[in-house]
Amino acid sequence: MILFPGRRPAAWGRRPAWPRSPRWFPFGKARPRPAGPVPTIGIAQHQGGRAEQQDRVFEAGRQADRPAFALVADGMGGLRAGGAAADLVVETAGRLLDRPPADPEQARRHLAALCRMAHHRILERHGQGRGDREAASGSTVAAAWVGPGWAVWAHVGDTRVYLVRDGRLLRRTRDHSMTEWLYACGAIDEAAIASHPDQNKLTQCLGGPAPPTPDIDHAVLREGDALLLATDGVWAQVPEAAILAAAMERDPAAAADGLVRAAVLAGGPGSDNATVLILRHEASSRRT
């Protein structure tokens, strides 16, 4: 069942100027330095050719008593409802940071609770059952906890998580979309997902008519591994080989910025909002 037959199209307009630098949130020097590999995080966003930015991104660097946390949400809905829905996802995540997980099993429960709570908050604020199509909204989400030697991530919708090691794709999330379903059925090949006319039709999201069922996965990390979170405004425009190469670059901020630039240029005047977050798991002595 198709819940969202595509995001509301925005009028093509003048492309916003490039930001002077990617959105980059360095770790505070006053924080206690945790032992072992420490994630470095790079973030970049661009509005593309859309009337507003409905993507949201949030991260909290690892501390001595807390794993690192990263989240990307892609809002959907008429007028400003999509951005408001994505804001609620970020707000919910911020509230839950007061109870960080201590291990992977707790991280799984935390991410499941995040999706459940954000879904209900969106329904309360912008309910699907009100009959006002402009007010209806929803959001995708991809979120991850990264601790010493482990990562747990969850997603709902088509915002993706890639796990990359030595330039090779170890894992990627499977979109909750019509095209991913067609691929699973063998009706199309994986390369056709990004360009298929039904690419933006989702089978579930936060704030939709039915409670979402997030996919939650985990991995044991090695030094140098990278998690890359990206909205469809990026992965639908940039070849997977470029995504994997960016995940391995030593400077995640520059790599994220390069991916976003490439996505918006490939998308042309009507390009979608584009957001990338790259989290590299590396020894603290290599941090700059």
Side-chain angles (χ1 to χ4, degrees):
M1 180 176 65
I2 300 173
L3 302 182
F4 281 86
R7 293 165 176 75
R8 178 181 174 83
W12 288 13
R14 206 170 163 187
R15 182 177 299 170
W18 287 108
R20 293 182 181 176
S21 61
R23 291 185 60 184
W24 169 240
F25 302 87
F27 294 95
K29 294 182 180 179
R31 295 177 180 174
R33 182 181 293 274
V38 178
T40 56
I41 300 175
I43 298 171
Q45 283 190 298
H46 197 277
Q47 186 171 321
R50 299 302 174 91
E52 67 167 312
Q53 174 64 270
Q54 294 191 334
D55 290 354
R56 299 293 186 268
V57 62
F58 175 78
E59 68 88 12
R62 185 180 163 205
Q63 298 183 24
D65 59 347
R66 189 189 67 200
F69 179 76
L71 178 148
V72 172
D74 182 356
M76 303 174 294
L79 300 179
R80 298 186 180 276
D87 283 337
L88 288 173
V89 178
V90 171
E91 290 174 14
T92 303
R95 293 182 180 184
L96 290 174
L97 283 182
D98 292 337
R99 301 186 297 276
D103 54 50
E105 185 56 38
Q106 289 185 15
R108 294 179 69 92
R109 294 197 294 268
H110 182 283
L111 293 173
L114 165 62
C115 294
R116 183 174 60 252
M117 293 172 62
H119 171 72
H120 288 301
R121 291 194 69 197
I122 294 171
L123 285 180
E124 290 172 358
R125 191 79 59 88
H126 310 281
Q128 295 289 323
R130 297 178 182 176
D132 184 352
R133 193 172 180 181
E134 296 298 324
S137 66
S139 180
T140 71
V141 67
W145 282 104
V146 178
W150 58 266
V152 179
W153 60 90
H155 89 287
V156 175
D158 63 356
T159 297
R160 292 182 176 180
V161 178
Y162 296 82
L163 173 60
V164 185
R165 175 176 296 162
D166 298 327
R168 297 180 295 109
L169 177 65
L170 292 188
R171 229 153 314 155
R172 92 156 165 85
T173 52
R174 295 298 167 183
D175 309 328
H176 300 138
S177 67
M178 179 59 68
T179 49
E180 191 78 59
W181 180 81
L182 290 171
Y183 166 64
C185 293
I188 62 174
D189 59 29
E190 188 170 11
I193 291 177
S195 59
H196 195 278
D198 290 334
Q199 179 264 318
N200 59 354
K201 296 180 179 178
L202 302 187
T203 56
Q204 64 169 317
C205 70
L206 303 180
T213 304
D215 290 339
I216 304 177
D217 204 351
H218 69 281
V220 175
L221 297 182
R222 299 179 185 174
E223 183 181 332
D225 287 355
L227 287 178
L228 187 148
L229 284 60
T231 59
D232 65 330
V234 174
W235 62 256
Q237 299 294 339
V238 180
E240 186 173 275
I243 292 175
L244 302 185
M248 290 293 95
E249 289 189 23
R250 292 295 300 272
D251 184 347
D257 186 53
L259 278 180
V260 166
R261 287 175 179 267
V264 174
L265 289 174
S271 60
D272 198 359
N273 299 159
T275 298
V276 170
L277 184 152
I278 300 175
L279 188 153
R280 283 182 54 81
H281 188 67
E282 57 190 13
S284 57
S285 61
R286 295 189 180 182
R287 289 178 58 198
T288 56

